[in-house]
Amino acid sequence: MIATLFVTFILLLACSFPIAVSQSFASMFLIFGDAPLSLESFTKAIMSGFSSFTLVAIPLFTFAGDIMGKGGISKRLINVAKLSLGNRTGGLGIVSIVACMIFAAISGTGSATVAAIGLIMIPEMLEAGYDRAYSASLVATAGTIGTIIPPSICMVVYAIAAGCSVTAMFTAGFPVGILVGAVLCIYCALSCRKRGYKPVYVKYTAKDWVKTIVEAIPSFLVPVIILGGIYGGIFTPTEAAAAGCVLGVIISVFVYKEVKLSDIPYMAFRSVIISAPVMFIIGVSTGFGRVLAITQMPSMIAEGILGITSNSVLLLILINLLLLLVGTFMETNAAIIILTPILLPIVTALGINPIHFGMIMILNLAIGFITPPLGANLFMASEISRVKFETLAKTIWPWIGAMIVVLIIITYIPQISLFLPQMMGLLG
């Protein structure tokens, strides 16, 4: 029965069927054959997945990130970063990384962060003498922080799949995202010094400081209100996403005036189109998960793996290698939905907290955004920098190495992920 489900699913994927279609057909093939549950129960499970209130946050965060990226917010954030970080070795690269970290607290996605920051910073780095492929690789890597620092769509998806708190995941993402950004900044400074990139000194007057900071205040209000509302118990994550949409419209249309009111319907429609496949996969995966639970496939896989080794260090190495491999060819949210029900019982059996494991999984799959052959951030960086994808596939490896260093630290020092949720009483 389990072999039938697994083989059918893999064959359909190999034939280029979409993830959700493969899950549906494999499940129904099993239902009509061995009948582990009725078709009615399978359909009800799918509908319960579609009706999740948390799921509404995905198109809302997508819309908020889109309008803020086009509304001049990223430009103001970059200007503030330049004030304190621009006049040093690797300064423009560090500014790009820090700007990605700040914009990540607005956009919730990696590719949106790459586009919003890269369109501004890559030309500036080129003008300062940076290599084009190096600049594109830098921004592509820094863009992965968009999936790590909250609000993150990947965290919402994982929380739904794992049945854990979205707020706890968001809280765990802060120190992890800051650590990623710090390691990337260190590598940037060292590599720029080795490459001989000279600092671009710009003298800022007190008037420049005041003007730049005042202009950026509305931009900084967005993450403060969204995240402050979540952690202060004022908003649920879904309500915070809606608040972000309203703030984005107000700031982009009426404050900075870089988006027209007539553009809003199209941007909202585009966000729904982008989000619909992810939401459809989540809904169908709820039914697929019900089938998996009835066949006891996750527990059998967990017992099989734990039969090989119960050493948590070795087991986490194997899981990291699997996730790194999966991240190179599978869409991130789909990978989270499919693998979480299988891997979570294994790690929880060893006493690993689901929130900690969630950060391990998301960081692994974030590395997949910059890993050839299907790195989404690489394609985005290639498009905006006009560097061939093949060239970026060669220059990205040192940056991947820096990300793997962070992955190792996060994997084996769980308190980095857990100390804030524990402090806030979110781990139960």
Side-chain angles (χ1 to χ4, degrees):
M1 183 164 56
I2 294 175
T4 301
L5 179 69
F6 184 73
V7 170
T8 306
F9 179 59
I10 296 298
L11 285 176
L12 289 169
L13 286 178
C15 294
S16 300
F17 280 82
I19 294 286
V21 174
S22 300
Q23 289 177 322
S24 299
F25 283 0
S27 299
M28 287 189 288
F29 187 77
L30 190 66
I31 289 170
F32 292 136
D34 297 313
L37 79 166
S38 67
L39 185 60
E40 181 182 2
S41 297
F42 177 65
T43 305
K44 285 182 177 179
I46 292 176
M47 294 309 298
S48 70
F50 284 137
S51 62
S52 169
F53 179 67
T54 306
L55 204 58
V56 180
I58 295 176
L60 292 175
F61 276 130
T62 302
F63 174 75
D66 192 20
I67 192 169
M68 291 175 194
K70 293 180 171 64
I73 291 176
S74 56
K75 182 167 62 179
R76 271 76 179 185
L77 297 175
I78 287 170
N79 289 340
V80 171
K82 283 182 182 178
L83 291 175
S84 55
L85 300 170
N87 294 339
R88 62 185 65 212
T89 301
L92 289 178
I94 294 172
V95 166
S96 301
I97 295 167
V98 172
C100 284
M101 293 173 67
I102 299 172
F103 192 77
I106 298 172
S107 69
T109 60
S111 56
T113 303
V114 173
I117 305 302
L119 286 169
I120 299 172
M121 288 307 303
I122 289 177
E124 291 207 23
M125 285 190 278
L126 295 179
E127 188 176 341
Y130 285 57
D131 177 74
R132 186 180 291 271
Y134 176 88
S135 303
S137 298
L138 183 157
V139 173
T141 307
T144 62
I145 302 174
T147 64
I148 301 168
I149 288 183
S152 163
I153 291 173
C154 290
M155 289 183 186
V156 175
V157 174
Y158 174 81
I160 294 171
C164 62
S165 165
V166 177
T167 304
M169 285 298 301
F170 280 6
T171 308
F174 265 116
V176 176
I178 290 170
L179 179 60
V180 171
V183 169
L184 293 182
C185 286
I186 292 170
Y187 174 72
C188 176
L190 294 175
S191 60
C192 284
R193 183 174 288 110
K194 182 178 180 180
R195 289 169 168 264
Y197 297 154
K198 302 298 181 183
V200 180
Y201 289 105
V202 178
K203 186 173 182 179
Y204 295 102
T205 64
K207 183 179 179 180
D208 293 331
W209 276 80
V210 172
K211 180 182 177 183
T212 302
I213 292 173
V214 169
E215 282 187 350
I217 287 175
S219 301
F220 283 105
L221 282 176
V222 177
V224 169
I225 292 174
I226 291 175
L227 298 175
I230 293 173
Y231 301 135
I234 301 170
F235 304 139
T236 65
T238 304
E239 291 165 346
C245 293
V246 174
L247 284 170
V249 171
I250 292 172
I251 293 172
S252 300
V253 176
F254 300 108
V255 179
Y256 294 150
K257 300 180 180 179
E258 297 195 16
V259 172
K260 296 178 181 178
L261 199 58
S262 59
D263 296 332
I264 301 301
Y266 172 75
M267 296 175 75
F269 173 75
R270 183 173 175 272
S271 299
V272 171
I273 294 299
I274 292 172
S275 305
V278 175
M279 299 179 74
F280 185 65
I281 290 171
I282 293 173
V284 172
S285 294
T286 305
F288 189 69
R290 183 71 59 84
V291 174
L292 289 178
I294 290 176
T295 59
Q296 297 185 328
M297 181 179 175
S299 60
M300 293 179 67
I301 292 175
E303 289 173 6
I305 293 176
L306 291 173
I308 298 172
T309 178
S310 59
N311 184 303
S312 60
V313 174
L314 180 59
L315 188 63
L316 285 172
I317 290 174
L318 295 175
I319 288 175
N320 276 330
L321 290 174
L322 170 65
L323 291 172
L324 286 171
L325 177 64
V326 168
T328 64
F329 65 86
M330 186 177 288
E331 195 274 329
T332 304
N333 293 309
I336 291 171
I337 294 162
I338 292 171
L339 294 177
T340 298
I342 296 173
L343 297 178
L344 192 59
I346 299 173
V347 296
T348 52
L350 296 176
I352 297 170
N353 189 283
I355 301 298
H356 175 216
F357 179 67
M359 294 314 306
I360 294 173
M361 175 175 274
I362 288 170
L363 185 52
N364 266 293
L365 298 174
I367 295 173
F369 277 113
I370 56 171
T371 305
L374 297 177
N377 282 16
L378 286 186
F379 279 105
M380 179 64 75
S382 173
E383 183 69 24
I384 64 178
S385 66
R386 299 190 304 279
V387 176
K388 290 183 178 180
F389 181 85
E390 293 79 5
T391 302
L392 288 184
K394 296 175 182 177
T395 59
I396 196 64
W397 292 104
W399 294 98
I400 292 176
M403 293 287 289
I404 290 176
V405 168
V406 181
L407 175 61
I408 293 170
I409 295 171
I410 295 302
T411 299
Y412 294 109
I413 308 179
Q415 281 307 112
I416 295 175
S417 303
L418 298 179
F419 82 92
L420 272 182
Q422 284 175 338
M423 188 186 306
M424 299 178 67
L426 297 173
L427 296 184

